Amino acid sequence: MAEWLFEIFSEEIPSRMQKGAQEQLKALAETYLQQEKLSFKDIYTFITPRRLVLVVEGLPLNTEEKWEEKKGPRIDAPQMAIDGFLKTTGVRRDECQVRDTPKGQFLFVVQKDPGRPTADVLAQIAPLFLEKFRWAKSMRWGSLSTPWVRPIRGLLCLFNGNVVPFSYAGITTSNTTHGHRFLAPQPFSVDSFKDYQKKLRDHFVILDWQERRDLIQREVSRIAQDLTPAQDDELLDEVAGLTEWPIALKGSIDEHFMKLPLEVITTPMRVHQRYFPLFNSQGDLAPFFGVIANTQATDGGKTILTGNERVLRARLADAQFFWQQDQKHPLEHFNISLKTRLFHQHLGSLFDKVVRLEKLCGRIAAKIGADEKVVKRAALLSKADLASQMVGEFPELQGIMGRYYAQAQGETPEVFQAIEEHYWPRVSGGPIPDAVSSLILAIADRLDTLIGFFTIGITPSGSKDPFALRRAGLSLIALSLNPHFSLSIDEALGWAYDMYPWSELTPPTLKSKEKAVSDLWQFLLERLKFTLRDGQGSPYDHVDAVLAVARENPTFSDLALRVRALDQLMDREDGQNLLKAYKRASNILRIEEEKDKKQYEGYVLENNLTDSEEKDLFEHLSENSPKIQDLVKKGNFVQAVQDLAKFRPYVDRFFDKIIVNTKEEKIRINRLNILAFLRKTLHQVADFSKIEG
Amino acid sequence: MKTDFQTIILRLQEFWSQKGCVILQPYDAEVGAGTFHPATTLKALGQKPWRAAYVQPSRRPADGRYGENPNRLYRHHQYQVVLKPSPHNVQDIYLDSLKYIGMDPNLHDIRFVEDDWESPTLGASGLGWEVWAGGQEITQFTYFQQIGGFPCSPVSAELTYGLERLIMTLQGIENVYDLTWNDPKGEFPMSYGDVALQMEQEFSAFSFEHLDASMVFRHFEDAEAMCHHLVSHKLVLPAYEYCLKASHLFNLLDARGVLSVTERANYIGRVRSLARQCCELWMENSHG
C-alpha cells in the first residue's frame, strides 16, 4: 500500500473559488482512479491561496493482473479479416481458441494483462484531470494555451516517495515546493505527505483551510480582548482563502468617525478592507477593528497597522463626505436622477418604476386596509438613495442609506423602515419584514419586476436568469407567506400589469394580460412547491394535492397553512384511514361514472336512504360539510382538517355494511351520491387523489 | 532610502530598464490609463515579444475634486510595465521592483487579491489581482486575455503601479498634496501640491462647470469620423490616436453627467468599435 501526493502550485487562486476547487479535485481524482480500477483507502484535498493538493492513501503498487478476452471474426471469414485480427492482438492463429456461438464458430483470444506499476497510471491520469478541471474563470499565460485559474508554477507529484514523472503546462514534476512567499521563499523537498505537511508548517504555511479559518477566528478574539468580533462567516471564509499564515492585528478608528451610521463605518471595513468590526458589551461598535495579516512582520506589525489605519481613514473620510453631501438635498431630489437610470430598456426608467410602485402600493393598501398614505410615501422614496453618492460608492448600502436619510429628514418610522425593509429578504432565507407598510412595498416591488419581465417575454430559462427573476419569485413567496398578510397574488398580478403604460413602451414582445398573468402564476406555483417542500418539509404529493385546488383561493399563506395541516393529518392513523376510504370512494365513483357516463355531484335524496350506516354518514356530512367550508374560508385549516378526521368512523362503518352497487338503481345512485358528497367535502381542503398512500 | 515622487519614478525606470524594457515617454494625448498607450494596447496584440515601461499621466475627469480631496485626482500618474510574453517568474520580478523602491515585504503585508480587469471602451479584458500593501491597493496586475476583441497570444503581463498611492504608502502620508515631489532636504523642495494643485483646481472647474457639452458632442463626432477615415486608409497609428481622443471626449461627457444610461452604453459601444477596427488593422498589417 502506498501514498500519492500531488500539489499544483500556482499564483494566487481567488478566495471565492477555493472551496469548490477542493471538492472538484477530489471528485475528479475519484473518477479517474475508479476508471483505472485502482482501489484506495482514503482521499483528501487541501487548498491555500497558492496550492491545490491531493492526497490518496492506500493505493496498490501495481494494478491487478487480469484476463482479457477478445472476440475475432468467424473461422471462415476472409483471410484478410483474420490476419487483421491476429495483427491487432499480436497472437498466432494456433494460439486462438475456436468457440461455438449461435452465429457459428468464431476465433477468440484470451490474454493475460499482467497489471502495471501504479506510478505509470498516475503519470497518465494526473495530466488528464488537470485538463478536465473547470474553473469558474480561467486564463492563459506566457506562450502557452493551457488554461488554469492563474499561472501554474510548480507540480509536486510523489508516489510512494518517488517522483511521478510527467510534464504539464511546460512544467516537469518534482519533489520540491515552496513555503510562504515572504517568510520562507527558498524551495524545499519532501518525501511523503506527513513530511510535506510538517515542512509547510515550518515554512509558515497552514495547509488546511478549516484550520486557518479556525485560527483566524481565535486570532481575532485574541486581539479583541474584552470586545466581541462580529460573527461573519462570509468574511472568515474569504480571509481563510487570502492567507497562508494568518496573524491578527488590532487597529483603531478615529473617534470623530464614530458618529457615522454603523453600516457606513462597517461596510468599507468589511467589503473593501476585509476588517473585522469589534463590538463592546452593550453591542455598540467599538472604535477598533481586527485585521488579518498574512505575515509575521519584522517590526511586529507596526507598519502594517499604521498602513491599514491610514487606508481606513481615507475610506471613512470619503464616506463622511458622501454622508454630508447627500443630505444637502431632501431625499425626493434624487428621484430626478432616476429618470435617466434605466430599469430595463423596454420597461422604462427607475423613476417610472417608482411611479408605478406608488400606485400599486396604494391599491394593495386599500385592499388589505393598510394606511395608503404611509405606503405611498415610502414607495415614492424607495429608490431615491440609488442616486446618492454613498450608494454609488457602496452599492450594498441600498435601502439602508434611504432609511437613514429619510429618518434624518423627519419621515415617520413606518416610512423609513419600509424604505430599508422593502429589499428584504436580502439573502435567500433571510428575515422578512413584520411591518405592513414594509411588506406591501416589498411585495409590490417584486410584483412589478416579475410582471414587467414576463410580459415582454423575459423569463428565467435553464441557467439563464440575468435579471434574477427566480430570486424575485422566491422572495415574493417568502414575503406573502407571512401569516398576518393575506393578499390574493393572482389578483395583484393583474393590478401590477395594469400599472405599466404598455402602449407607450412598445417592447418587441408583448404578452396579453391574461397570458402574462397566467405564465407568471404558473412560475410562482412552481417556486411555491419548492419552498414548501424545502421550507416546511412538506412532501410533493401534499403540495400537489393542495395546489390542485389553488385557483379557488390563491393566497400563498393560506396554501402553506393548508399543506401544513394536511401534513399533520397524514401523519396520523385517522388521516391514513381517511385517505384509504377516500381512495375507495373515488375508485368506485370513477368506475361507475365511466359506466354511467355521468358525474355524480353529491345530491343525496334523503328518502332513498335505507340503512342506518348510510343515514349516519349522510347526516354527518350534511352537518359538517358547511362547517368545514366555513373554516376553510376563515383560514382555519387545522380545525377543518381535524373535522375531516372525525369522518373516519362513519366512513368505515359505511364501507363495512353498505353495498353501493345494489340492484335497485335509485338506491345505487343515491349511494354513489353519498360518496360524491364525501369527495366534494374533502376537496374543499385538498385534492386527495393526488396523495400517495 | 529616498521616497520622493521623482526618485521613485527614476528607480522604477532603472529597475525595468535592467529587465530589458524599452523605457518610453508618456503618450502625448489625453488618456484614461497607461493601458491606452499604443505601446500597450497595440503591442500586446500579435506574436512579437515586447517589453516596455513608462509613466503615463492619466485623466479621469469624473474623479476631479478641485484639489480638495486627499485621494482623488483629475489627473494621476501610472507607472506602466508591459511584458510579452509574461515571464514565468513575473510575480517575483514585480516583488523585486517593490524592494528596489524601498518597500520591504517583511514590513508591509503584500497580498494578491483577485481583481479581473476589463475595459469596455477597448473591448479588452484580463485576469489578475489588485496588489495590496497593508490594505492599500498599489498595483493592478493583469494577464491580458483579449484586446479589441482579439485573443492575446502570447499573453502579456501588465503591471500598473498607481504612483500616488504607492508613494503615499512609502512616505506614510494621508494627503496626496503633501507628497514630496523632489528631495525635501534639497535646494528647492517641491510638494505634489506645488506641482499639480493648480491643474486639479482648474481642470475640475473646466469639466464640471465650463465644458460645453454640445461642443464636445461635436468633437466626438469629428474624432470618430477622422478615425474611420484613417482606418480606411490603413494609417493605424493616427487612427488609433483619434480613437483615444474619442475615448477622452466620452469621459468628459460622462463626467459632465449629460449621458443617460442608454446613451452612455451607446457611446461606449462606438469607442469600442473604433478600438476594434484599429486593432484589426494592426493585426492585418502584422505589426504585432
Side-chain angles (χ1 to χ4, degrees):
Chain A
M1 293 294 118
E3 171 198 271
W4 180 27
L5 169 64
F6 184 26
E7 179 200 59
I8 304 140
F9 182 75
S10 70
E11 297 182 1
E12 279 76 356
I13 304 166
S15 180
R16 66 192 169 94
M17 299 179 189
Q18 292 180 14
K19 286 226 90 169
Q22 215 181 326
E23 284 155 25
Q24 192 182 162
L25 179 63
K26 191 173 172 191
L28 275 171
E30 278 170 349
T31 308
Y32 277 90
L33 289 172
Q34 270 156 21
Q35 227 170 62
E36 297 297 328
K37 308 232 176 345
L38 274 170
S39 62
F40 54 87
K41 213 167 109 252
D42 278 310
I43 183 162
Y44 310 97
T45 51
F46 300 91
I47 196 155
T48 79
R50 296 175 76 203
R51 59 202 90 224
L52 177 56
V53 180
L54 170 73
V55 182
V56 185
E57 285 173 356
L59 280 164
L61 290 173
N62 287 286
T63 61
E64 271 176 49
E65 63 166 47
K66 58 181 179 238
W67 290 92
E68 276 184 359
E69 192 181 275
K70 280 188 198 123
K71 187 182 171 192
R74 275 168 72 114
I75 51 165
D76 54 359
Q79 193 56 41
M80 240 169 66
I82 292 176
D83 288 346
F85 176 65
L86 297 178
K87 198 175 167 198
T88 52
T89 50
V91 294
R92 295 191 312 272
R93 172 69 179 81
D94 58 3
E95 289 170 324
C96 292
Q97 297 178 8
V98 177
R99 288 193 205 162
D100 286 324
T101 77
K103 287 182 181 166
Q105 289 194 310
F106 278 77
L107 292 177
F108 278 82
V109 167
V110 179
Q111 281 172 313
K112 184 172 152 185
D113 174 356
R116 52 188 188 133
T118 300
D120 291 359
V121 179
L122 299 184
Q124 203 183 333
I125 63 173
L128 286 181
F129 59 70
L130 291 184
E131 249 169 60
K132 277 276 178 312
F133 204 99
R134 288 290 169 270
W135 293 94
K137 242 177 164 181
S138 56
M139 55 165 279
R140 295 171 291 112
W141 63 94
S143 304
L144 300 164
S145 56
T146 356
W148 198 250
V149 63
R150 290 294 182 275
I152 299 178
R153 297 304 184 201
L155 293 168
L156 180 156
C157 195
L158 290 182
F159 179 66
N160 202 19
N162 301 313
V163 173
V164 177
F166 68 90
S167 293
Y168 189 80
I171 294 161
T172 304
T173 50
S174 74
N175 61 350
T176 61
T177 187
H178 297 259
H180 190 278
R181 193 186 269 292
F182 303 114
L183 295 173
Q186 292 310 313
F188 58 89
S189 63
V190 301
D191 57 27
S192 68
F193 175 58
K194 208 176 144 200
D195 186 40
Y196 172 75
Q197 204 170 13
K198 185 191 169 294
K199 281 187 180 151
L200 274 184
R201 198 173 291 269
D202 295 343
H203 291 80
F204 306 96
V205 174
I206 297 169
L207 181 60
D208 187 48
W209 185 90
Q210 189 62 46
E211 188 187 337
R212 288 197 306 276
R213 193 182 188 278
D214 294 344
L215 175 63
I216 291 163
Q217 201 159 17
R218 281 202 310 278
E219 274 286 290
V220 176
S221 298
R222 175 180 66 79
I223 56 100
Q225 292 164 310
D226 52 341
L227 300 171
T228 313
Q231 179 58 41
D232 190 333
D233 288 331
E234 253 176 72
L235 187 59
L236 280 171
D237 286 355
E238 191 183 0
V239 179
L242 285 172
T243 48
E244 290 196 315
W245 195 253
I247 290 174
L249 299 164
K250 184 183 186 180
S252 49
I253 307 171
D254 288 8
E255 272 302 335
H256 70 276
F257 292 124
M258 298 302 290
K259 288 189 226 91
L260 289 168
L262 173 72
E263 294 90 339
V264 171
I265 304 173
T266 56
T267 304
M269 279 168 65
R270 292 176 51 255
V271 179
H272 294 265
Q273 300 300 132
R274 282 80 162 179
Y275 298 159
F276 289 85
L278 303 176
F279 293 87
N280 66 22
S281 52
Q282 280 88 51
D284 297 326
L285 184 69
F288 298 99
F289 63 91
V291 53
I292 302 293
N294 183 37
T295 190
Q296 212 162 351
T298 44
D299 65 352
K302 226 178 115 229
T303 308
I304 296 174
L305 207 52
T306 47
N308 278 287
E309 285 173 345
R310 191 167 55 235
V311 177
L312 182 62
R313 249 194 312 273
R315 294 245 183 228
L316 291 180
D318 269 357
Q320 194 169 35
F321 176 76
F322 299 144
W323 173 248
Q324 285 157 355
Q325 287 294 308
D326 285 345
Q327 291 187 78
K328 285 192 170 159
H329 305 284
L331 198 47
E332 293 93 311
H333 179 81
F334 291 114
N335 276 351
I336 299 167
S337 323
L338 297 185
K339 288 181 182 172
T340 53
R341 288 195 188 210
L342 278 185
F343 169 51
H344 180 271
Q345 196 185 351
H346 299 301
L347 297 173
S349 70
L350 272 176
F351 181 75
D352 298 332
K353 184 179 179 70
V354 167
V355 173
R356 290 194 303 271
L357 282 182
E358 233 188 312
K359 286 193 271 179
L360 184 57
C361 283
R363 186 94 190 246
I364 296 174
K367 173 81 178 182
I368 66 165
D371 188 335
E372 275 183 66
K373 260 177 75 185
V374 167
V375 191
K376 284 170 88 169
R377 177 76 184 153
L380 177 72
L381 300 177
S382 61
K383 304 291 177 194
D385 69 353
L386 293 180
S388 70
Q389 292 198 54
M390 189 77 86
V391 176
E393 183 76 9
F394 305 113
E396 46 282 274
L397 289 179
Q398 66 175 11
I400 295 169
M401 291 327 295
R403 180 199 66 197
Y404 280 118
Y405 294 145
Q407 191 173 7
Q409 71 181 31
E411 303 293 335
T412 63
E414 290 90 341
V415 171
F416 64 71
Q417 226 177 320
I419 294 171
E420 174 174 9
E421 294 176 356
H422 89 279
Y423 286 109
W424 293 10
R426 278 192 174 257
V427 289
S428 154
I432 300 296
D434 276 330
V436 175
S437 41
S438 308
L439 270 176
I440 294 176
L441 185 53
I443 287 177
D445 193 11
R446 269 71 170 213
L447 284 172
D448 178 82
T449 297
L450 287 164
I451 197 73
F453 283 104
F454 269 71
T455 303
I456 61 169
I458 298 178
T459 55
S461 65
S463 58
K464 272 174 94 184
D465 184 14
F467 300 101
L469 300 181
R470 263 194 210 97
R471 233 204 103 196
L474 284 171
S475 297
L476 178 61
I477 284 159
L479 289 160
S480 29
L481 284 179
N482 186 318
H484 306 298
F485 186 84
S486 194
L487 174 74
S488 160
I489 294 298
D490 198 13
E491 190 180 12
L493 289 178
W495 302 337
Y497 183 95
D498 292 339
M499 299 302 163
Y500 278 91
W502 292 116
S503 57
E504 292 164 32
L505 292 169
T506 62
T509 309
L510 179 65
K511 290 188 202 166
S512 69
K513 180 175 175 181
E514 201 186 16
K515 174 87 172 109
V517 169
S518 117
D519 286 358
L520 180 49
W521 176 247
Q522 281 313 315
F523 168 78
L524 289 173
L525 282 188
E526 285 307 309
R527 305 290 108 192
L528 177 68
K529 262 194 212 180
F530 179 77
T531 307
L532 293 184
R533 191 170 46 104
D534 280 25
Q536 59 188 44
S538 302
Y540 255 149
D541 53 336
H542 293 189
V543 179
D544 284 338
V546 167
L547 283 180
V549 294
R551 269 279 166 175
E552 291 163 27
N553 191 356
T555 306
F556 289 153
S557 51
D558 287 354
L559 292 175
L561 280 174
R562 281 202 214 189
V563 174
R564 198 172 308 153
L566 189 61
D567 294 345
Q568 282 162 2
L569 177 67
M570 299 317 292
D571 275 349
R572 290 160 40 185
E573 207 202 333
D574 282 350
Q576 288 299 327
N577 271 11
L578 188 67
L579 179 62
K580 272 187 210 137
Y582 168 86
K583 296 248 159 169
R584 203 163 154 190
S586 59
N587 274 338
I588 295 170
L589 279 168
R590 186 167 43 79
I591 294 163
E592 299 307 314
E593 282 174 341
E594 221 164 88
K595 224 188 277 170
D596 300 350
K597 302 210 177 357
K598 65 184 278 200
Q599 185 90 13
Y600 291 100
E601 303 286 354
Y603 303 118
V604 179
L605 299 172
E606 278 198 77
N607 290 340
N608 291 343
L609 295 168
T610 57
D611 297 22
S612 66
E613 287 81 5
E614 54 179 332
K615 276 185 195 157
D616 288 352
L617 178 56
F618 172 68
E619 270 165 34
H620 191 77
L621 280 170
S622 313
E623 194 186 324
N624 286 292
S625 188
K627 274 196 209 160
I628 289 171
Q629 195 180 6
D630 195 44
L631 286 168
V632 168
K633 213 180 265 170
K634 287 182 182 144
N636 191 347
F637 294 103
V638 178
Q639 191 56 51
V641 162
Q642 273 170 9
D643 287 359
L644 279 188
K646 288 186 195 145
F647 283 36
R648 178 193 165 189
Y650 300 94
V651 177
D652 285 356
R653 277 205 297 280
F654 179 89
F655 280 120
D656 275 354
K657 301 287 183 203
I658 305 288
I659 293 158
V660 176
N661 284 320
T662 59
K663 295 224 170 86
E664 204 172 335
E665 187 61 6
K666 65 172 185 187
I667 298 197
R668 186 183 80 96
I669 288 171
N670 209 42
R671 285 178 180 168
L672 286 171
N673 270 317
I674 296 178
L675 295 182
F677 193 8
L678 173 68
R679 178 174 64 183
K680 203 161 113 184
T681 306
L682 290 170
H683 277 200
Q684 286 173 3
V685 176
D687 181 350
F688 278 71
S689 70
K690 304 249 191 242
I691 303 177
E692 289 158 20
Chain B
M1 196 181 284
K2 285 206 250 174
T3 57
D4 60 80
F5 205 77
Q6 68 191 35
T7 298
I8 297 301
I9 292 175
L10 290 170
R11 300 281 292 172
L12 285 171
Q13 302 276 49
E14 206 171 84
F15 180 88
W16 287 108
S17 105
Q18 285 162 17
K19 298 292 167 194
C21 289
V22 293
I23 302 299
L24 297 175
Q25 300 308 314
Y27 195 63
D28 55 341
E30 306 102 323
V31 291
T35 312
F36 287 77
H37 195 307
T40 295
T41 310
L42 296 179
K43 287 287 196 176
L45 285 168
Q47 292 174 5
K48 289 185 198 158
W50 174 246
R51 286 189 176 195
Y54 52 89
V55 175
Q56 182 64 55
S58 304
R59 300 189 186 213
R60 305 266 169 94
D63 283 345
R65 291 291 184 276
Y66 296 86
E68 285 163 12
N69 184 294
N71 296 298
R72 287 192 200 227
L73 297 165
Y74 181 96
R75 184 200 62 181
H76 68 289
H77 297 79
Q78 296 185 340
Y79 194 85
Q80 172 85 1
V81 180
V82 57
L83 305 167
K84 174 188 171 188
S86 65
H88 71 96
N89 56 345
V90 56
Q91 275 186 316
D92 293 331
I93 303 176
Y94 165 72
L95 291 168
D96 284 344
S97 80
L98 292 185
K99 288 177 204 155
Y100 199 79
I101 57 172
M103 183 168 275
D104 179 358
N106 290 316
L107 283 177
H108 296 266
D109 183 22
I110 312 277
R111 221 83 80 73
F112 291 83
V113 181
E114 180 194 11
D115 189 39
D116 298 338
W117 169 85
E118 201 175 345
S119 168
T121 44
L122 282 182
S125 63
L127 269 66
W129 313 270
E130 295 176 351
V131 184
W132 287 12
Q136 175 70 277
E137 182 199 340
I138 53 168
T139 304
Q140 184 80 35
F141 191 130
T142 307
Y143 290 97
F144 282 146
Q145 303 293 299
Q146 160 172 315
I147 289 177
F150 293 94
C152 298
S153 178
V155 168
S156 305
E158 181 203 47
L159 311 174
T160 306
Y161 303 73
L163 284 174
E164 282 83 355
R165 283 183 181 175
L166 173 69
I167 302 171
M168 280 166 80
T169 303
L170 282 172
Q171 293 188 6
I173 57 142
E174 306 202 4
N175 188 328
V176 66
Y177 298 102
D178 295 339
L179 277 174
T180 57
W181 188 287
N182 59 4
D183 186 354
K185 295 193 194 86
E187 202 177 326
F188 199 62
M190 284 281 180
S191 72
Y192 192 93
D194 294 332
V195 177
L197 181 61
Q198 187 182 355
M199 170 155 188
E200 288 301 318
Q201 291 165 333
E202 293 188 1
F203 273 88
S204 298
F206 152 70
S207 80
F208 293 130
E209 299 165 37
H210 298 280
L211 180 133
D212 178 344
S214 58
M215 188 191 285
V216 178
F217 276 120
R218 225 163 46 230
H219 290 169
F220 183 93
E221 304 287 333
D222 290 345
E224 189 183 40
M226 182 60 91
C227 181
H228 282 144
H229 175 80
L230 293 166
V231 166
S232 70
H233 287 79
K234 305 209 179 297
L235 294 168
V236 63
L237 290 175
Y240 182 68
E241 183 164 305
Y242 274 86
C243 166
L244 292 181
K245 283 189 193 297
S247 172
H248 175 65
L249 293 165
F250 159 73
N251 287 340
L252 287 174
L253 291 168
D254 196 27
R256 191 83 164 108
V258 293
L259 298 173
S260 74
V261 178
T262 17
E263 279 175 319
R264 191 171 183 277
N266 176 32
Y267 274 91
I268 290 175
R270 285 164 72 176
V271 179
R272 185 168 53 237
S273 158
L274 298 179
R276 193 185 49 74
Q277 290 171 51
C278 294
C279 291
E280 199 175 352
L281 188 55
W282 176 267
M283 298 285 279
E284 262 173 36
N285 296 356
S286 60
H287 291 294

